[in-house]
Amino acid sequence: MSQDYFKTAQELLDNIEQFHTDKRAELEQFRISYLGSKGKVKGLFAGFKSVANERKREFGQLANAVKAAAEQKLNSLKSLIEEQEDQTIEIPDLSLPASFNELGSRHPNSIVLNEIIDIFSRIGFVVAEGPEMEDDWHNFTALNTPENHPARDMQDTFYLDKKVNPAMLLRTHTSSAQSRVMKNQKPPIRIIVPGRVFRNETISARAHCQFHQVEGLYIDENVSFADLKQTLLYFAQEMYGANTKIRLRPSFFPFTEPSAEMDVSCFICNGKGCNICKYTNWVEILGCGMVDPQVLENCGIDSTKYSGFAFGMGIERIGMLRYSIDDIRLLFENDVRFLKQFDSAF
Ligand code: PHE
């Protein structure tokens, strides 16, 4: 009888030795069946009393070895499984809905600007740039704006440093890029300059201390006022439709002579009369003129050989008219709910 217990113990040892699993559930089965309260190891110890006295010591050692082997097996397989689980990449549930990516949209200023650039590039104008931080000479002096001109007043201009000569400021118009390009390039010059400009204005629905302009400049031999008019007519009809008419009203800018402001026939009501054109059927969109010969000379261009025209328009104004936006501040708040209304891609 006692002999059987020795045999059983040996079998258990062999079985434990051979046991292997990488599954938690199977390992738990193993633990219950060997080390549980009704398990095989317990059963083995229960046979202790049936073993002959002289072999009790030997049997005790054997039974303890079985228990230790089961425990050791349990622990080593447990750590093996844990190690494996650490390395297993959790595969996400591919049937879950994708996370939503909020897309932005193009700003009305960008939409309008891209159109303007497109229209002028078709007739050979290239985009140029100038700095937003500018000096007094490029922004004013070169452009015939004398020392005591009201445009230099502290109320209009943000000066950065008045102690240096020439003083530094935030450009008040993109015309400052005219003087830079004329100083650095030889005619023929055919550029448009988009950019941000700054004026010390009280912020309201109609005015802001920053806005955007597009400048145009064309310098070559024999450029006439007729060229200016034709170029602007082409622009207006590309921008607002083939039936658009333009009207040039005499005006004044220190750097152009003669100077004009351009109106386009109202693209909102087409002559029926509306709030935008204030029942006049005309909407002002830009300032322009022939570059004053003195400005050419200031920038090192021979005014007896070359002539040219320039124009400048406000981008916000054009977008506000087109989209019936009644508050310029909306264009600087970057509220997607507002911006999304204008981009046809959305
Ligand atoms: N710089 C002028 C303005 O800001 C616009 C302009 C540009 C006028 C070029 C004539 C020629 O109002």
Side-chain angles (χ1 to χ4, degrees):
M1 181 74 180
S2 63
Q3 205 56 26
D4 282 347
Y5 281 106
F6 279 93
K7 200 173 156 229
T8 310
Q10 197 53 57
E11 277 170 12
L12 286 180
L13 265 183
D14 291 346
N15 290 345
I16 290 167
E17 168 111 23
Q18 276 162 30
F19 179 77
H20 185 78
T21 183
D22 58 2
K23 296 191 180 61
R24 264 184 194 277
E26 281 176 19
L27 187 61
E28 179 61 5
Q29 276 306 317
F30 171 87
R31 186 190 67 77
I32 293 167
S33 103
Y34 283 87
L35 299 163
S37 52
K38 289 176 185 145
K40 292 178 175 145
V41 172
K42 261 266 160 61
L44 195 61
F45 277 102
F48 191 72
K49 53 184 183 302
S50 319
V51 173
N53 276 344
E54 69 274 15
R55 297 199 70 184
K56 270 194 178 13
R57 185 184 158 91
E58 191 191 343
F59 180 74
Q61 280 172 351
L62 187 59
N64 274 327
V66 173
K67 190 182 178 203
E71 280 169 354
Q72 208 194 351
K73 191 67 156 190
L74 179 72
N75 288 335
S76 68
L77 287 179
K78 199 170 151 199
S79 47
L80 198 79
I81 289 172
E82 276 166 4
E83 213 173 282
Q84 241 177 32
E85 281 175 349
D86 279 352
Q87 286 169 7
T88 318
I89 302 160
E90 258 198 52
I91 298 170
D93 181 352
L94 297 178
S95 67
L96 285 175
S99 61
F100 179 65
N101 270 341
E102 179 87 49
L103 282 179
S105 67
R106 282 184 306 168
H107 194 283
N109 279 352
S110 304
I111 299 171
V112 169
L113 176 62
N114 286 345
E115 267 181 53
I116 297 172
I117 292 176
D118 203 46
I119 292 170
F120 281 106
S121 56
R122 291 204 287 274
I123 52 170
F125 282 77
V126 294
V127 174
E129 278 187 342
E132 291 179 350
M133 281 189 273
E134 191 46 282
D135 61 55
D136 189 292
W137 190 86
H138 287 95
N139 195 79
F140 290 131
T141 311
L143 298 173
N144 270 355
T145 309
E147 213 52 63
N148 53 356
H149 194 280
R152 285 185 173 224
D153 198 298
M154 281 296 278
Q155 291 209 325
D156 297 321
T157 307
F158 287 116
Y159 281 94
L160 299 169
D161 192 349
K162 287 199 106 174
K163 288 191 235 37
V164 289
N165 186 22
M168 292 300 293
L169 46 82
L170 294 178
R171 67 176 172 195
T172 59
H173 51 185
T174 43
S175 303
S176 56
Q178 279 192 39
S179 25
R180 284 200 171 264
V181 171
M182 284 192 280
K183 275 227 93 168
N184 297 325
Q185 286 179 32
K186 298 246 160 305
I189 293 169
R190 206 163 7 176
I191 52 155
I192 51 172
V193 187
R196 186 159 55 148
V197 302
F198 307 85
R199 290 182 196 177
N200 194 356
E201 304 241 12
T202 308
I203 297 171
S204 70
R206 310 235 114 235
H208 209 288
C209 60
Q210 56 172 337
F211 55 100
H212 296 78
Q213 290 186 325
V214 183
E215 194 80 8
L217 178 69
Y218 181 24
I219 313 276
D220 204 348
E221 292 178 38
N222 301 318
V223 178
S224 70
F225 199 87
D227 297 321
L228 168 62
K229 201 176 162 190
Q230 194 56 39
T231 303
L232 293 179
L233 178 64
Y234 157 80
F235 166 70
Q237 294 187 337
E238 290 293 305
M239 189 82 183
Y240 294 112
N243 295 325
T244 308
K245 296 185 185 59
I246 62 166
R247 177 171 88 168
L248 291 169
R249 282 179 292 104
S251 184
F252 174 80
F253 299 102
F255 37 92
T256 47
E257 181 57 35
S259 303
E261 265 157 324
M262 185 177 94
D263 300 338
V264 291
S265 50
C266 186
F267 42 86
I268 304 284
C269 67
N270 291 319
K272 289 187 201 76
C274 70
N275 274 337
I276 302 290
C277 66
K278 303 202 176 65
Y279 297 89
T280 63
N281 191 28
W282 293 102
V283 183
E284 183 198 320
I285 60 160
L286 57 80
C288 60
M290 300 305 292
V291 179
D292 192 309
Q294 185 60 50
V295 172
L296 295 175
E297 295 295 335
N298 292 345
C299 298
I301 292 177
D302 183 352
S303 66
T304 59
K305 189 170 177 206
Y306 294 106
S307 56
F309 62 74
F311 56 87
M313 60 188 112
I315 300 178
E316 279 80 3
R317 181 172 161 74
I318 292 182
M320 286 171 77
L321 288 169
R322 169 185 298 182
Y323 300 118
S324 303
I325 299 167
D326 58 7
D327 192 328
I328 192 172
R329 289 170 292 198
L330 290 166
L331 293 167
F332 291 95
E333 279 165 7
N334 287 333
D335 187 329
V336 233
R337 292 167 303 178
F338 168 77
L339 297 174
K340 273 201 170 149
Q341 300 172 60
F342 309 103
D343 196 339
S344 55
F346 290 87

